[in-house]
Amino acid sequence: MASQGIKGPPYKFIHGCTKETSKLKEDVMMKMNKPMMNVSHEISPIVEPHIHQWNKIYGGIYLHWHGPQAFLFISDTKLVKEVLNNRDKTYTKPEFPGDLKKILGDGLVTTEGTKWARQRRLAHLAFHGESLKGMIPAMVDSVHMLLKRWQNLEAKEVELFEEFTAIMSDVIFRTAFGSSYTEGRNIFQMLSELTIIVSRNLFKLRLPGIRKIWKTSDEIKSERLEKAIYTMRC
């Protein structure tokens, strides 16, 4: 890669770039706990500070390491389009880490071939215009409930992130689960817990096979949540 002019953050033994990534994210979280002086719509330095910094230093194409595994990052729109089109099946999807796979499952993001094609057809039908029209009454009901709750708050402050997360989940419960509203709410809550656990451990590396001998409390809890979600879906 270096001979082709592709650079990136230096590889560190065992950890790769994960320690630097975690440090940059921790720095951002510390800043977020303080009052924001300059509010900006530029979210990349906050959401993905490592990508934002490395993109400025090494350009739109660079190599970074997650442990011993190398990843090529591209932000050039023409190259991104070529990868996404993938007509010749040159670019295969990566093997997602076990924790991340618990959230993504065997959906469109992780599958390929005939399984991907079947799920793509199902998703197309679910999000077809006529199907979406049938969801409008449920969406309207959710918004009315939100506005009614806001009216009762009088002059109190509202945490918009939590409110919009609530209305989004409410719409999903009503449209996707229908009469199984309570079941849908429970699944969403468990998925939220699982997402927090996975994001907390995403850049932590463990020796291969160590989980068969010893598991952390997060690993035990994530496995329990995964089984509970699968049981409710079935």
Side-chain angles (χ1 to χ4, degrees):
M1 289 293 181
S3 63
Q4 299 179 53
I6 297 174
K7 300 179 180 179
Y11 171 79
K12 301 291 178 62
F13 182 63
I14 296 179
H15 298 284
C17 304
T18 54
K19 278 192 173 182
E20 186 178 349
T21 301
S22 299
K23 179 65 169 58
L24 289 169
K25 285 183 171 288
E26 287 172 8
D27 292 344
V28 168
M29 292 305 296
M30 289 180 67
K31 291 178 182 177
M32 293 297 292
N33 290 330
K34 301 176 183 178
M36 296 180 67
M37 301 303 292
N38 299 314
V39 179
S40 171
H41 293 293
E42 180 61 53
I43 64 169
S44 60
I46 298 173
V47 179
E48 299 289 358
H50 56 300
I51 292 178
H52 177 76
Q53 179 169 305
W54 294 337
N55 198 42
K56 288 198 300 182
I57 297 173
Y58 304 110
I61 304 176
Y62 65 84
L63 196 73
H64 70 102
W65 299 81
H66 184 84
Q69 190 172 8
F71 288 87
L72 184 67
F73 178 89
I74 60 173
S75 59
D76 181 273
T77 52
K78 291 182 180 179
L79 289 176
V80 171
K81 186 176 180 180
E82 181 182 336
V83 172
L84 291 176
N85 284 334
N86 197 22
R87 291 190 179 92
D88 299 325
K89 308 300 179 185
T90 305
Y91 308 101
T92 58
K93 293 181 180 179
E95 185 67 31
F96 290 91
D99 288 339
L100 194 57
K101 191 75 180 288
K102 290 176 183 177
I103 297 176
L104 299 175
D106 290 325
L108 288 170
V109 177
T110 58
T111 55
E112 291 190 286
T114 55
K115 193 171 187 178
W116 179 89
R118 181 173 59 84
Q119 293 186 353
R120 180 67 180 81
R121 286 195 297 270
L122 291 172
H124 178 73
L125 291 173
F127 290 97
H128 189 270
E130 292 301 319
S131 299
L132 293 175
K133 284 181 183 178
M135 301 178 185
I136 292 176
M139 297 178 184
V140 172
D141 288 343
S142 296
V143 173
H144 283 166
M145 289 178 62
L146 176 70
L147 294 176
K148 187 176 180 180
R149 189 169 70 252
W150 281 5
Q151 288 172 351
N152 296 331
L153 293 175
E154 297 177 349
K156 295 180 180 178
E157 286 188 358
V158 173
E159 178 55 61
L160 288 180
F161 175 78
E162 294 179 1
E163 292 294 318
F164 281 116
T165 300
I167 191 173
M168 177 192 69
S169 59
D170 194 61
V171 168
I172 293 174
F173 302 152
R174 294 174 183 275
T175 55
F177 295 96
S179 58
S180 303
Y181 176 81
T182 305
E183 180 181 332
R185 180 178 292 275
N186 291 337
I187 290 176
F188 194 87
Q189 287 176 343
M190 286 189 289
L191 279 172
S192 298
E193 289 182 52
L194 187 58
T195 302
I196 292 171
I197 293 172
V198 171
S199 61
R200 188 164 59 219
N201 293 276
L202 192 58
F203 296 103
K204 294 180 180 178
L205 298 177
R206 303 203 65 196
L207 295 174
I210 193 68
R211 294 184 181 184
K212 295 180 180 180
I213 304 171
W214 177 75
K215 295 180 181 180
T216 65
S217 57
D218 276 350
E219 287 171 342
I220 295 171
K221 188 174 181 180
S222 65
E223 288 181 359
R224 186 167 65 246
L225 287 169
E226 182 187 22
K227 288 178 181 178
I229 292 169
Y230 182 80
T231 301
M232 294 188 73
R233 284 172 55 198
C234 295

